[in-house]
């Protein structure tokens, strides 16, 4: 039995995956003439057994990584200083997306293709499982089918958050959705269908997956029943179907409701949640593609800085304020003596903060976007509040927050004056808890439909400017100003909340581009 997701593939299988990776990144999801002869020569025939299927699904780098990061890039939890904006690792496409430019578009289809490569391998497993019926253990085949359905729906949902309009009952039957590739034929013609069809397929796959998967898995990179219920809860929440989100959050929490006491986490280590797969809160582990503009870096060398108002919203005894956030520093030249041209470089906290709460143990801009117990408590709390059950909503919220509170002080439970107050407090804590988890963009899209919570976004590129009073010889004080050198805005419900499909996809397919 293979007990780890990062397994060693046999020689035959390595060749298969290498071939399909090159093939798909060259043109998958495009109906191009140059691929018409690939089917009959494809190494798909080498995928013959249940063990082959399990190896595909257990290939962590293939199935659990490189999910789109442009939603997080487009959201409002961070901003840039001038140095970060001009960082040579940050490309012009990222700058355009940061500025919400109407023409902001990816030239390369890498984020699109990475998601559809996962879909391709899921479909390959589904087809092989179907062929193996009657010749292999049905319980094993059921697990493989359930996992493949989960991966396919998970990838579809990620793509839909960027390139399809937000789900609304009024327009879902008309708005263009995303291509729903349901087989491994790379020559199939892609069409967008509707938003309604997109979400129907995601839900259908997940609902079948929960009937096939085991409650838990031996490692969190493998799908399981709790993950499928959790993804259903997330999906229904993004559709604003709060009763169904509540039902599925409940079912997931019945399987796993474990919260980590943040007092047990060493706040001084380089990465908090290490090694990978070690957190008991994580139900399904996956990560986004690298995005240099989101790089938290180190105290002295960082790009993305967390929004100051968000930083200020954490209470002093909230351990997330020290686990999720770390102060940045700047080097400042201080005169050696009053009026002297000679100076000494000193390091000072510059009043900005970077994100350090990634469930993926690294300091780069590869962020956890999987499923975890804390998200489920917040989904359930929000749904309870929307169902006018303030007591249950605050019960879940306080259960979560008490596990994040410094045990050197007594946790004071959050109270609410009415339903709207309870809902508002849940949403505030949702943003603080799920920081940089690729969920904020989806939340903005759905909450913009509610006049109480819609938000016109404004963000800046700032110049971090030190002010020095005094000298080394007499003593000095350093303060910082943050004048904006550029300001950008995105009104609620703007068309730009649906990103433009990458240019490479449009050129090589018959898909229609999103409007501007």
């Amino acid at each position: 039995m293979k007990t780890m997701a990062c397994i060693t593939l046999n020689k035959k299988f390595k060749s298969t995956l290498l071939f399909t990776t090159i093939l798909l990144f060259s043109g998958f999801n495009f109906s191009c003439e140059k691929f018409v002869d690939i089917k009959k020569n494809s190494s798909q025939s080498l995928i013959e057994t249940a063990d082959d299927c399990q190896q595909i699904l257990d290939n962590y780098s293939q199935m659990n990584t490189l999910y789109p990061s442009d939603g997080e890039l487009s959201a409002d939890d961070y901003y840039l200083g001038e140095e970060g904006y001009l960082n040579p690792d940050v490309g012009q496409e990222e700058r355009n997306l940061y500025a919400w430019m109407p023409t902001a578009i990816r030239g390369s289809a890498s984020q699109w293709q990475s998601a559809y490569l996962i879909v391709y391998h899921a479909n390959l497993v589904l087809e092989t499982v179907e062929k193996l019926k009657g010749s292999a253990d049905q319980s094993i085949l059921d697990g493989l089918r359930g996992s493949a359905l989960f991966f396919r729906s998970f990838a579809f949902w990620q793509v839909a958050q960027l390139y399809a309009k937000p789900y609304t009952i009024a327009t879902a039957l008309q708005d263009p959705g995303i291509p729903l590739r349901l087989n491994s034929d790379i020559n199939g013609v892609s069409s967008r269908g509707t938003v309604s069809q997109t979400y129907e397929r995601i839900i259908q796959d997940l609902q079948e997956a929960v009937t096939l998967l085991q409650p838990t898995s031996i490692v969190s990179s493998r799908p399981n029943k709790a993950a499928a219920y959790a993804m259903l809860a997330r999906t229904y929440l993004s559709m604003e179907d709060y009763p169904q989100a509540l039902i599925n959050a409940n079912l997931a929490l019945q399987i796993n409701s474990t919260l980590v006491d943040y007092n047990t986490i060493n706040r001084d280590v380089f990465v908090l949640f290490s090694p990978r797969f070690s957190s008991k809160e994580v139900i399904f582990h996956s990560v986004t593609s690298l995005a240099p503009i989101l790089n938290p870096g180190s105290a002295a060398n960082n790009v993305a800085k967390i929004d100051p108002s968000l930083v200020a919203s954490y209470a002093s005894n909230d351990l997330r304020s020290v686990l999720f956030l770390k102060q940045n520093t700047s080097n400042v030249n201080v005169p050696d003596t009053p009026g002297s041209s000679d100076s000494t470089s000193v390091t000072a906290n510059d009043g900005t903060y970077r994100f350090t709460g990634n469930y993926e143990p690294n300091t780069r801009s590869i962020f956890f976007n999987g499923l975890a117990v804390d998200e489920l408590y917040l989904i359930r709390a929000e749904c309870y509040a929307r169902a006018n059950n303030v007591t249950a909503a605050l019960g879940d919220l306080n259960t979560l927050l008490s596990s994040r509170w410094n045990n050197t002080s007594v946790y004071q439970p959050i109270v609410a004056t009415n339903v709207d107050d309870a809902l508002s407090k849940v949403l505030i804590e949702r943003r603080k808890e799920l920081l940089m988890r690729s969920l904020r963009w989806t939340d903005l899209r759905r909450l913009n439909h509610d006049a109480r919570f819609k938000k016109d976004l404004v963000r800046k590129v700032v110049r971090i400017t030190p002010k020095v009073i005094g000298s080394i010889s007499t003593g000095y004080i350093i303060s910082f100003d943050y004048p904006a050198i550029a300001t950008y805005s995105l009104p609620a419900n703007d068309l730009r909340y649906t990103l433009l499909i990458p240019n490479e996809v449009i050129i090589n397919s018959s898909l229609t581009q999103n409007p501007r």
Side-chain angles (χ1 to χ4, degrees), residues 348-402:
N349 292 332
D350 62 17
T352 70
Y353 289 79
R354 67 192 184 281
F355 174 65
T356 57
N358 194 358
Y359 276 23
E360 171 70 6
N362 73 84
T363 59
R364 298 181 298 157
S365 54
I366 298 173
F367 295 112
F368 174 84
N369 72 332
L371 298 154
V373 172
D374 56 347
E375 181 186 351
L376 290 171
Y377 274 101
L378 288 161
I379 290 175
R380 193 167 71 173
E382 179 178 344
C383 295
Y384 277 140
R386 292 182 182 278
N388 298 321
N389 190 340
V390 173
T391 300
L394 295 181
D396 275 346
L397 188 60
N398 285 312
T399 296
L400 171 65
L401 295 182
S402 63

Side-chain angles (χ1 to χ4, degrees), residues 389-452:
N389 190 340
V390 173
T391 300
L394 295 181
D396 275 346
L397 188 60
N398 285 312
T399 296
L400 171 65
L401 295 182
S402 63
S403 71
R404 274 52 176 153
W405 204 252
N406 195 323
N407 60 16
T408 60
S409 64
V410 177
Y411 174 70
Q412 298 295 325
I414 287 180
V415 296
T417 56
N418 53 45
V419 169
D420 283 349
D421 185 37
L423 178 57
S424 178
K425 288 176 176 175
V426 169
L427 292 174
I428 289 169
E429 294 303 327
R430 178 178 171 85
R431 186 183 182 195
K432 290 157 65 176
E433 177 70 21
L434 304 180
L435 180 61
M436 304 301 283
R437 295 260 285 268
S438 290
L439 293 170
R440 177 61 178 169
W441 186 243
T442 297
D443 283 348
L444 287 166
R445 282 161 45 107
R446 70 181 175 92
L447 293 174
N448 278 340
H449 298 151
D450 189 330
R452 296 171 296 175

Side-chain angles (χ1 to χ4, degrees), residues 129-427:
V129 166
E130 190 66 24
K131 295 175 184 176
L132 290 171
K133 281 185 176 179
S135 62
D137 187 320
Q138 188 59 44
S139 64
I140 293 175
L141 296 181
D142 286 347
L144 294 170
R145 179 172 176 81
S147 293
L149 289 169
F150 176 89
F151 276 117
R152 187 169 73 179
S153 60
F154 192 78
F156 281 157
W157 188 86
Q158 303 292 332
V159 175
Q161 304 320 295
L162 303 187
Y163 304 115
K165 288 184 178 181
Y167 183 97
T168 63
I169 294 176
T171 64
L173 291 173
Q174 293 82 41
D175 288 337
I178 64 169
L180 298 172
R181 299 306 295 263
L182 304 182
N183 60 63
S184 63
D185 181 2
I186 61 174
N187 299 304
V189 177
S190 294
S191 61
R192 295 193 61 177
T194 66
V195 166
S196 179
Q197 290 169 333
T198 295
Y199 282 89
E200 285 172 3
R201 170 50 59 181
I202 293 168
I203 289 169
Q204 181 178 328
D205 281 358
L206 290 169
Q207 287 178 335
E208 183 178 354
V210 298
T211 69
L212 300 171
L213 292 167
Q214 294 299 309
T216 59
S217 47
I218 55 178
V219 63
S220 58
S221 58
R222 281 187 173 180
N224 53 60
K225 191 185 296 288
Y229 279 133
M231 192 60 208
L232 276 168
R234 180 188 284 185
T235 300
Y236 280 120
L237 192 80
S238 67
M239 298 170 67
E240 302 178 72
D241 187 340
Y242 300 111
Q244 284 297 322
L246 175 59
I247 289 170
N248 285 280
N250 262 323
L251 290 168
L253 286 167
Q254 287 172 14
I255 299 172
N256 185 356
S257 60
T258 302
L259 289 169
V260 174
D261 181 355
Y262 273 18
N263 289 279
T264 65
I265 297 176
N266 183 355
R267 67 192 71 174
D268 298 320
V269 296
F270 197 56
V271 289
L272 295 176
F273 301 100
S274 183
R276 184 185 290 130
F277 312 138
S278 63
S279 175
K280 295 180 180 179
E281 283 192 19
V282 174
I283 298 170
F284 174 72
H285 197 102
S286 62
V287 297
T288 63
S289 59
L290 184 72
I293 201 170
L294 296 173
N295 188 10
S298 62
N301 183 20
N302 50 81
V303 177
K305 305 176 191 298
I306 300 302
D307 174 61
S309 63
L310 183 54
V311 171
S313 70
Y314 292 91
S316 59
N317 284 315
D318 186 340
L319 289 172
R320 296 174 300 182
S321 67
V322 292
L323 293 174
F324 288 7
L325 307 170
K326 294 290 189 299
Q327 290 192 31
N328 297 322
T329 61
S330 292
N331 291 328
V332 180
N333 292 323
V334 179
D336 289 340
T337 58
S340 171
S341 60
D342 296 326
S343 63
T344 299
S345 179
V346 299
T347 300
N349 292 332
D350 62 17
T352 70
Y353 289 79
R354 67 192 184 281
F355 174 65
T356 57
N358 194 358
Y359 276 23
E360 171 70 6
N362 73 84
T363 59
R364 298 181 298 157
S365 54
I366 298 173
F367 295 112
F368 174 84
N369 72 332
L371 298 154
V373 172
D374 56 347
E375 181 186 351
L376 290 171
Y377 274 101
L378 288 161
I379 290 175
R380 193 167 71 173
E382 179 178 344
C383 295
Y384 277 140
R386 292 182 182 278
N388 298 321
N389 190 340
V390 173
T391 300
L394 295 181
D396 275 346
L397 188 60
N398 285 312
T399 296
L400 171 65
L401 295 182
S402 63
S403 71
R404 274 52 176 153
W405 204 252
N406 195 323
N407 60 16
T408 60
S409 64
V410 177
Y411 174 70
Q412 298 295 325
I414 287 180
V415 296
T417 56
N418 53 45
V419 169
D420 283 349
D421 185 37
L423 178 57
S424 178
K425 288 176 176 175
V426 169
L427 292 174

